[in-house]
Amino acid sequence: MNIGGTLIAGPAKGALAGRVNVPGDKSMSHRAVMLASLADGVTEIHGFLPGEDNLATAQMFADMGVRIEWLNSAKTSLRVHGVGLHGLKPSAGMLDAGNSGTCVRLMTGVLAGQDFASTVTGDASLCKRPMRRVADPVRRMGATVDGSDSGNLLPLTVRGGNLKAIHHVSEVASAQVKSCVLLAALYAEGESTVKEPRPTRDHTERMLPLFGQPVHVDVDGVIHLNPVGKLTAPAAPIHIPADPSSATFFAVAATLVPGSDVTLEQVGMNPLRNGWSRILAGMGGQLRLVNEAKVGEESVADIQAVYTALHGLKVNPADVPDAIDEFPALFAAASLADGEFLLSEAEELRVKESDRIAVMARALIAAGANIEEFPDGARIVGGRLAGSCTVDAEGDHRIAMAMAVAAQCSEADITINNAAAIATSFPDFVPLAQSIGMNVHWASV
Ligand code: S3P
């Protein structure tokens, strides 16, 4: 996607060092504002990620009559004046999810519960991504979903109300699909269940009980939700931990650049999110956890990443959902590691903000890497990166940041076009990267 914004990233001028407080978790920020909007009462949220994706979710609720009170100019703290499960009003215009798959897919569940019609759209990248995975289950619950390609592509019009419970067996390991069904299930009569092919991030299941809605996971991993009929704002504020998906870029950069020692503070350590650290450790990476603590229902820790020579790895397919957003950064690491890195059963990467297998392969090959693509993964034989090239992030935030990390160990600069989407998940990436010594800056226009 042609969205502009050019990053110039070059070889690091020395070891990376320092402590970084990366911003709040994107997945949890979406869920916090959604549940708070649908609750009775006022919820205070701290550590909210003020990225474009999360602001799109907050704006959608504002468009449907929820008062969002920002408590600071950085938009990391807010008070949400919930309207209750049945208090949303139809928006005057289309709802706009921007670049955010999580926003649109979870909102499909929320909109399926409303007894009015809403039309939701997004940017050019989101308009190409598959929505049947959420349209189908909410249709089975009784909602109507219209859109092109039989309701697979945005814009989608969702007409809801009078939902029936569902026993959904998901074909894809997707937290977005699971969460869509759980949110719609809040409006249905009787118990709904979701079964996934592999467990995925469970932030929705962990956060719903804070709002008075129990969720039960049985011994087979099936998730059960029996709606109590309302959500209640928690008395205590919700604190959102630092986003492990953002922390990964700096942990990988510190692992790659000789002599580095970087600490990422109070990062979310949910086991269903830290596949990246297991994979990096499997490649020889040294990550030390200190100050382990609990924030609400989630665990956090400071992660200290130091330089280590990496080797290749055959990724265990069971780790794929837990690292699904971190493969661009891990591909950068693999292209600089010793030996072969093999990834399979990761076809979901082809339907993210871009086709992450193809776009990363094109960018890394331009920089001098040795990569072979497969429909469901890739084989990367590590070595050196010459750099001295221009690559296209194609409007995908994580490709832009991963190539900026790769450039720290390339032999010459890499120019990264269409990188402005960094603002969707990590608006402060460049200044924070510079603060630990990474060689990266925006090209002046
Ligand atoms: C997310 C789930 C994942 C992930 C996305 C955030 C979420 O998507 O890639 O960035 O917050 O539920 P899928 O559910 O499509 O795997």
Side-chain angles (χ1 to χ4, degrees), residues 26-27 31 102 105 133 173-176 201 324-325 348 352:
K26 180 154 75 74
S27 292
R31 288 156 172 82
T102 307
R105 296 207 177 104
R133 53 185 62 195
S174 164
Q176 294 175 353
R201 65 190 69 190
I324 195 67
D325 291 336
E348 274 295 299
K352 293 293 175 190

Side-chain angles (χ1 to χ4, degrees), residues 146-229:
D146 294 313
S148 57
D149 188 22
S150 314
N152 190 35
L153 297 175
L154 297 181
L156 291 185
T157 298
V158 184
R159 283 183 195 80
N162 286 326
L163 298 187
K164 307 184 283 288
I166 190 180
H167 298 291
H168 186 59
V169 179
S170 184
E171 282 171 16
V172 274
S174 164
Q176 294 175 353
V177 172
K178 168 177 64 180
S179 301
C180 166
V181 174
L182 293 176
L183 288 166
L186 295 172
Y187 292 89
E189 219 178 283
E191 182 183 83
S192 292
T193 61
V194 184
K195 185 170 169 44
E196 311 183 90
R198 283 192 202 281
T200 63
R201 65 190 69 190
D202 58 358
H203 306 303
T204 308
E205 299 92 298
R206 286 175 189 255
M207 207 177 276
L208 275 166
L210 300 178
F211 288 84
Q213 171 61 60
V215 177
H216 168 66
V217 184
D218 70 23
V219 284
D220 298 320
V222 177
I223 302 127
H224 297 246
L225 188 148
N226 212 328
V228 297

Side-chain angles (χ1 to χ4, degrees), residues 233-425:
I238 293 194
H239 290 273
I240 295 175
D243 195 328
S245 299
S246 298
T248 303
F249 295 107
F250 298 148
V252 169
T255 302
L256 290 173
V257 177
S260 297
D261 184 346
V262 171
T263 297
L264 292 325
E265 292 175 343
Q266 296 296 280
V267 178
M269 293 304 298
N270 184 314
L272 295 166
R273 290 291 296 285
N274 66 15
W276 70 273
S277 64
R278 294 196 292 276
I279 293 170
L280 197 60
M283 296 172 74
Q286 281 179 41
L287 301 172
R288 200 165 72 92
L289 301 185
V290 282
N291 293 329
E292 293 181 59
K294 201 94 201 251
V295 173
E297 290 309 302
E298 301 277 351
S299 341
V300 297
D302 293 347
I303 304 174
Q304 184 189 15
V306 296
Y307 165 73
T308 339
L310 295 181
H311 51 76
L313 174 78
K314 185 165 187 280
V315 176
N316 178 352
D319 282 334
V320 169
D322 305 350
I324 195 67
D325 291 336
E326 286 64 72
F327 286 107
L330 292 168
F331 277 20
S335 64
L336 288 154
D338 186 26
E340 180 182 280
F341 176 94
L342 205 55
L343 174 68
S344 60
E345 296 187 36
E347 56 280 349
E348 274 295 299
L349 291 178
R350 295 206 180 267
V351 290
K352 293 293 175 190
E353 287 83 328
S354 69
D355 174 343
R356 286 188 172 155
I357 298 175
V359 178
M360 272 312 286
R362 274 198 288 279
L364 284 170
I365 287 169
N370 178 347
I371 303 189
E372 187 188 350
E373 271 185 60
F374 308 127
D376 68 338
R379 174 175 176 268
I380 304 176
V381 181
R384 48 181 279 277
L385 289 180
S388 188
C389 58
T390 298
V391 302
D392 191 347
E394 299 195 18
D396 185 330
H397 54 136
R398 300 205 198 278
I399 306 277
M401 292 185 275
M403 288 310 296
V405 168
Q408 303 309 306
C409 285
S410 65
E411 287 155 24
D413 284 3
I414 300 180
T415 299
I416 307 161
N417 284 335
N418 292 316
I422 284 176
T424 62
S425 70

